[in-house]
């Protein structure tokens, strides 16, 4: 598996050097001149730990959570004050964990953000189904939340049992969403689970749109080694068949596809904390992407707080990009939207896309992965599947290794990928 990612990396970077993350960092982050800057805040607390979820999280303790929020606000001020004036940003997303467990502190966090940033495209938050009631949604709307993403995973009892999810009162959830509306109500689902059928997935999709969602995300199950999941992955052909059937079904229903995994029935609905040119991340395990670097905060809550107490950024690892590495990172995550615009690439890097990746684009067109019209490259169904297929390799070869190490070591000396 790692041979594929290694060979692809060497070909695309034109280098034998691995991606190297080191335990150094800039205390002053150069985000002032960035365009399309987004913000992300990580709140790592959950009432129970889902075995299929790979993200940094711990069991909720009110006192620990409250103290964590105090330090989170300090980090926001530490970074935000690096800019003399308020910086315009596209969006703010809260993830976790279950951010709603810190409901009574979220307004303070948003206030700290607004001391330094001007948000132009709204505020989103991830929610566990059990967090949702009318009172919670009303509070979120009052403090400025405009988008919610609900981790349904499945409405099917068998699939919920496979995922280890306790029984959820979806009736209560639907009633709350009917009473309290948002600009975007997204629902997340997992596909490629054992014995899951396209009939199951179609039912989930329609139930979501019938009960308040105007946006859905359908992600494949990925078996992270450190997640201790007992779920078996289905084979490549079965996964591709399901993925193509999901896509064709959604397009036939007239739903707009805005990324590999997301569809909406409303042109104004969107939810993505990933596809942004640059972003700042706050909180343990949060990542920051800037023009020449990518950094990851420590996964340890205790060490995160110690660093901030010392007046230092809680960065654990940093990779300093070569220009071509940064181009690849840009293309990989831009392709998540299923389109790459050569003009936007040139605007970002000051170089032509075809000058740097002409051979790769020709080969992708020849293999039927993409089509091109007026400088916009669009993925075909085949291309979308193989994008997922490579992303799966990338995730298991790179992210799985990196996150696995960082769960055990707060500040590793370095990681080679």
């Amino acid at each position: 598996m790692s041979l594929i990612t290694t060979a692809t990396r060497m070909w695309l970077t034109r280098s034998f050097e691995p991606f190297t993350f080191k335990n150094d960092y800039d205390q002053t982050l150069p985000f002032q001149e960035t365009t399309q800057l987004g913000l992300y805040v990580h709140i790592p607390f959950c009432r129970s730990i889902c075995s299929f979820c790979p993200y940094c999280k711990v069991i909720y303790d009110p006192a620990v959570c409250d103290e964590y929020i105090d330090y989170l606000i300090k980090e926001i001020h530490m970074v935000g004050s690096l800019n003399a004036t308020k910086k315009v940003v596209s969006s703010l997303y809260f993830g976790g964990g279950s951010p709603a467990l810190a409901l009574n502190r979220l307004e303070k966090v948003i206030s700290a953000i607004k001391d330094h940033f001007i948000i132009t495209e709204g505020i989103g938050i991830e929610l566990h189904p059990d967090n949702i009631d009318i009172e919670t949604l009303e509070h979120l709307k009052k403090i400025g939340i405009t988008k919610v993403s609900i981790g349904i995973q499945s409405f099917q009892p068998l699939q919920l049992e496979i995922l280890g999810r306790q029984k959820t009162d979806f009736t209560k959830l639907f009633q709350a969403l009917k009473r309290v509306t948002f600009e975007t109500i997204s629902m997340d689902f997992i596909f490629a689970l054992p014995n899951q059928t396209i009939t199951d997935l179609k039912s989930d999709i329609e139930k979501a749109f019938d009960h308040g969602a105007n946006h859905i995300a359908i992600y494949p199950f990925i078996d992270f080694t450190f997640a201790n999941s007992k779920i078996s992955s289905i084979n490549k052909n079965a996964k591709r068949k399901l993925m193509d059937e999901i896509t064709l079904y959604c397009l036939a229903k007239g739903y707009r596809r805005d990324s590999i995994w997301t569809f909406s029935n409303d042109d104004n609905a969107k939810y993505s904390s990933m596809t942004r040119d640059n972003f700042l991340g706050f909180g343990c395990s949060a990542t920051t992407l800037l023009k020449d670097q990518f950094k990851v905060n420590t996964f340890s809550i205790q060490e995160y707080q110690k660093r901030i107490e010392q007046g230092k950024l809680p960065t654990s690892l940093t990779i300093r990009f070569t220009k071509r590495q940064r181009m690849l990172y840009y293309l990989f995550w831009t392709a998540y939207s299923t389109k790459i615009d050569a003009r936007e690439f040139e605007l970002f890097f000051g170089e032509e896309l075809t000058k740097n990746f002409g051979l790769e684009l020709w080969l992708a067109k020849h293999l039927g992965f993409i089509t091109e019209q007026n400088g916009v490259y669009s993925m075909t169904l085949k291309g979308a599947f193989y994008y997922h297929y490579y992303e799966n390799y990338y995730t298991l070869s790179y992210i799985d290794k990196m996150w696995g190490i960082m769960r055990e070591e707060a500040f590793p000396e370095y990681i080679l990928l």
Side-chain angles (χ1 to χ4, degrees):
M1 186 176 295
S2 60
L3 288 176
I4 294 175
T5 46
T6 299
T8 304
R9 186 206 69 230
M10 289 192 295
W11 167 258
L12 292 175
T13 61
R14 307 293 196 265
S15 171
F16 292 103
E17 294 297 319
F19 295 129
T20 304
F21 287 81
K22 298 180 179 179
N23 67 346
D24 66 350
Y25 64 96
D26 296 330
Q27 183 66 17
T28 301
L29 295 175
F31 66 86
Q32 292 80 2
E33 301 303 319
T34 56
T35 58
Q36 290 299 307
L37 181 70
L39 305 177
Y40 173 77
V41 173
H42 191 77
I43 299 178
F45 302 97
C46 294
R47 291 198 185 279
S48 61
I49 303 298
C50 296
S51 64
F52 60 85
C53 175
Y55 299 106
C56 176
K57 71 272 185 190
V58 297
I59 292 293
Y60 174 65
D61 177 290
V64 175
C65 179
D66 207 45
E67 184 179 35
Y68 173 83
I69 297 296
D70 290 339
Y71 283 92
L72 175 64
I73 290 171
K74 289 179 182 179
E75 184 195 8
I76 291 167
H77 287 309
M78 192 186 306
V79 174
S81 62
L82 296 172
N83 208 32
T85 59
K86 289 188 178 183
K87 173 70 176 174
V88 174
V89 298
S90 58
S91 54
L92 165 62
Y93 287 94
F94 287 90
S98 300
L101 293 175
L103 187 66
N104 64 330
R105 300 296 307 279
L106 292 180
E107 187 172 13
K108 290 286 188 184
V109 177
I110 293 171
S111 177
I113 292 282
K114 289 185 175 179
D115 282 346
H116 307 284
F117 303 97
I118 299 169
I119 304 164
T120 61
E121 296 177 16
I123 304 173
I125 189 169
E126 296 175 6
L127 298 173
H128 190 285
D130 291 345
N131 298 148
I132 296 176
D133 54 40
I134 292 171
E135 183 180 7
T136 297
L137 295 184
E138 286 179 340
H139 182 86
L140 291 173
K141 192 164 186 175
K142 180 182 176 183
I143 64 175
I145 302 296
T146 58
K147 311 172 190 184
V148 298
S149 173
I150 308 167
I152 301 291
Q153 314 314 346
S154 178
F155 289 122
Q156 313 299 321
L158 175 60
Q159 304 304 330
L160 290 175
E161 184 178 342
I162 289 171
L163 291 168
R165 272 284 178 92
Q166 295 180 351
K167 187 175 181 181
T168 298
D169 183 359
F170 290 118
T171 301
K172 173 186 162 187
L173 183 150
F174 297 152
Q175 289 173 345
L177 292 176
K178 191 173 183 179
R179 283 276 301 274
V180 188
T181 60
F182 294 86
E183 173 188 303
T184 297
I185 296 176
S186 184
M187 293 187 186
D188 284 3
F189 298 93
I190 294 178
F191 82 91
L193 295 169
N195 302 313
Q196 191 177 36
T197 67
I198 186 60
T199 301
D200 294 330
L201 291 162
K202 287 179 182 179
S203 174
D204 282 346
I205 292 166
E206 292 314 311
K207 185 170 283 191
F209 284 129
D210 287 345
H211 291 281
N214 57 8
H215 184 275
I216 59 167
I218 308 182
Y219 300 103
F221 169 71
I222 298 178
D223 187 14
F224 289 88
T225 59
F226 54 76
N228 298 317
S229 175
K230 302 294 191 294
I231 303 171
S232 301
S233 299
I234 67 173
N235 67 49
K236 172 186 170 183
N237 290 335
K239 186 181 288 188
R240 180 174 183 179
K241 184 172 185 292
L242 270 182
M243 184 175 172
D244 286 352
E245 287 176 328
I246 291 166
T247 303
L248 291 171
Y249 176 76
C250 287
L251 294 179
K253 296 286 287 187
Y255 303 142
R256 179 177 62 89
R257 188 184 199 180
D258 54 14
S259 81
I260 292 289
W261 315 122
T262 59
F263 301 87
S264 67
N265 63 2
D266 177 347
D267 288 344
N268 296 316
K270 62 178 182 176
Y271 195 102
S272 177
S273 59
M274 300 166 63
T275 53
R276 294 173 292 174
D277 293 346
N278 304 280
F279 52 83
L280 294 173
F282 302 104
C284 66
S285 81
T287 58
T288 289
L289 173 67
L290 299 173
K291 190 66 178 285
D292 299 315
Q293 66 174 271
F294 179 83
K295 81 179 193 78
V296 189
N297 282 355
T298 179
F299 277 47
S300 166
I301 292 175
Q302 293 75 24
E303 295 301 324
Y304 168 83
Q305 293 177 181
K306 282 183 185 178
R307 272 282 184 90
I308 293 170
E309 188 67 39
Q310 296 166 359
K312 299 177 181 178
L313 294 182
T315 307
S316 178
L317 292 168
T318 302
I319 182 171
R320 301 189 186 280
F321 294 117
T322 65
K323 190 166 189 178
R324 191 166 180 90
Q325 285 175 340
R326 185 63 176 92
M327 287 178 174
L328 284 172
Y329 198 97
Y330 174 96
L331 291 174
F332 185 81
W333 288 111
T334 301
Y336 185 83
S337 71
T338 74
K339 288 182 173 58
I340 293 172
D341 189 323
R343 291 172 293 257
E344 292 179 359
F345 179 93
E346 184 172 355
L347 187 64
F348 192 87
F349 291 103
E351 295 186 20
E352 293 181 6
L353 176 62
T354 51
K355 177 183 175 182
N356 289 278
F357 297 96
L359 176 60
E360 289 82 2
L361 291 168
W362 175 86
L363 186 61
K365 287 168 71 174
H366 183 73
L367 293 172
F369 294 162
I370 60 173
T371 59
E372 185 265 333
Q373 186 173 9
N374 299 323
V376 177
Y377 297 84
S378 302
M379 281 187 192
T380 61
L381 279 180
K382 182 180 180 182
F385 173 76
Y386 279 100
Y387 174 92
H388 152 68
Y389 196 61
Y390 181 75
E391 183 193 24
N392 191 69
Y393 275 114
Y394 165 82
T395 298
L396 292 176
S397 297
Y398 291 171
I399 295 178
D400 185 86
K401 176 182 177 180
M402 186 174 184
W403 287 2
I405 292 171
M406 294 183 73
R407 284 166 177 269
E408 301 299 324
E409 298 180 57
F411 301 104
E413 185 176 350
Y414 64 89
I415 295 179
L416 301 180
L417 300 175

